[in-house]
Amino acid sequence: ILTVESGASRKRRVHGMLKMYYGMNEEGKADQPDSADPCDINGQNFDPDVYLNKLRRECSLGELMDQEGCMVKQIRSLDSDMQTLVYENYNKFISATDTIRKMKNDFKKMEDEMDCLTTNMAAITEFSASISGTLQDQHTQITKLSGVHSLLRKLQFLFELPARLNKCVELQAYGQAVSAHGRARCVLQQYSHLPSFRGIQDDCLLIMDGLRLQLRQRFRDGGSSAKDLSECVELLLQLDEPAEELCDKFLNHAGARLHLDLTGLETDILEFMDRGCNEFVSSLCLVVTSYQELFVSHAPAGAPGDVPRMASAKLQVFVDELAGRYFSIVERRIQGERGVGDNSLLVRALDRFHRRLQAVSKLLPGSTVPARGTQIVVRAATERVQRYLEALKSFYLDTLTDVRQALAAPRLSVAGGPGGLTPGGGLPDLLASLSASILNQIKAVLASVHLFTAKDITFSNKPYFKGEFCSRGVREDLVVSFIQFICQSSRGFCDSPGDKGGATPPALLLLLSRLCLDYETSTISYILTLTDEQFLVQHHSPVTPVTVLCAEAREAAQRLLNHYVKVQGLIISQMLRKSVETRDWVNTIEPRNVRAVMKRVVEDTTSIDGQVGLLYEEGVRKAHSSDSSKRTFSVYSSSRPQPRYAASYTPSAPMDTNLLSNIHKLFSERIDIFSSVEFNKVSVMTGIIKISLKTFLECVRLRTFGRFGLQQVQVDCHYLQMYLWRFVSDENLAHFLLDEIVGSTAHRCLDPAPMEQSVIEVICERG
């Protein structure tokens, strides 16, 4: 490698020296004259004596010796380079010498051939001059005879014309007959005053009238091909038939044939479009081309100037009428494609339909047929989007039905529970499956709709499919509408009657509330971003912002969760109400156990707590006191124990205790029973327990109690307090409501003798 590089650099240096010697620059041009410095060793004005004297004056002996050594090396290098240059170009010199020698031989041979050619050309010139001189006298006579011969041939053609026309008619060579008559018609008309020419003209007119009748009959029968039909019309035009009448007949005949092409197209959509394009549209284009060739582009000779305009107007009406019928059939066939599976066949069919109609626009630049065809494609795409929206809605409802069935399956239900799942149930799996199914279905639909905007589809370049179809059709009418449908249908579950527990399973309400909340946090943004990226949506027109959809989803989630709390609270409230209304509280026996309904309330509350915990986070609780499960209830106070009132009960005590209770309520915090809950487990359980205990309180206020009835309520409330405090956000809320229940019972008791707290605790612990 080093050897090759050194050889190349050496060649460049040699070439540079040669250029320098001959005064040439890099571009092969002579350099500008050097300066007149006599000490410039590379210049033309170099003076050795002056240079040597300068060196002796300015340099020391050592520098002079170094300079001498350097110059000796340069001289040797130049000698070596010159020898190398001669050796390298030796073969070129030999080849150039051989080429020059060969060129000398070739040029000598060429000179001999040119001398021979000059001699031959001189002989030819002499011979030609001799022939011209010989024929000079007979030239005028030959020209005259040639003219007479040409005239005789024309006369012969005229005298033989009737026989020739009859022969052509017999052989059905109508084109030759019309052409022959056309060539002779002007001459016969010009010399019709001569009897002989007059007879020939009459015979020819009679024959051409018969030919005209045959052509009309042939044109009228309509059994000929399109090519024969065009030829027939062309011949009739040459025979001076009325152009307007021929236009009408031509279009009527072509229309009958095209109507036949429109029948029998009931096949699958792709084959339907293929047959329609290959048969009807192709035939229509052929008719248009033939018509324009006959009546517009090459108007009949001698026809008025408005004939092409009249013919174009008739053609426009004809094409519009036939295209209207064809478009009606196409739209009916497209509407028959109700399946929402594979969309590729429909898109390919529409692409062929649109592509083929572009030929009509080239033949008829001012025609509205291509634009009407594009509108059909647009309507088909819009209708397809609506079909997919309906399919998404149906899929969503079917999926909810499957979720209902899964929730109702024995392996997921809780025996004796309020219709909820066990804490170890499959709610998270159902939520994940539901969300994934909906998202996958949306992706599949977007992939199918995206075929309308594929690069290899001709109509995808239309402004509609680049703008409005993507932003309004796909994003708004499909994706946004489906998200709004999910929110709307979810809110519809909240309209079911709640006093009977509702027709909707509570677990489904909880599941849908979490689904809508997930949509608000991430899914909606992901779906709309995916749509915008896949369809390159450009928001030229106003579109629904992501924030609006997220707010709608959050509202639906809030309503569903509130309704879930209401339904679950009313289910427990119904048990408590029946347990209060169906018992004789005045004549009841002394309590020995906690009532079964209270145990059922605690069990159901625990089950609901586990169910909500599967989908929602824990939430924030207030700090619990150390004696939350040991709290006692007074029969006279609604907020704090007052055992001294129980020991010194007198007939006037209820009045005092009522006064104290009412005064305490004035300074207590108001409890909103049906307030909106937050998206966490503690808030949901607090709402359910508030509804349940409030119902218990209102039912107690409508009853009258005896001594043992009061004691049974004491036992029940203490049992509830032992377990319910851990579910609520603030234990004081549960204590306050339970205090209210016990206090209201005491106020409505005929013999208010409360049970000892120690006895209550023993009964509850045993229960």
Side-chain angles (χ1 to χ4, degrees), residues 418-465:
L421 298 179
T422 60
L427 269 183
D429 295 337
L430 280 177
L431 176 63
S433 176
L434 176 62
S435 180
S437 299
I438 296 173
L439 188 59
N440 291 334
Q441 192 68 13
I442 291 175
K443 290 181 178 179
V445 168
L446 289 178
S448 297
V449 177
H450 189 260
L451 294 175
F452 283 99
T453 60
K455 293 182 179 179
D456 57 340
I457 303 300
T458 55
F459 57 77
S460 64
N461 295 323
K462 296 293 181 181
Y464 172 79
F465 286 96

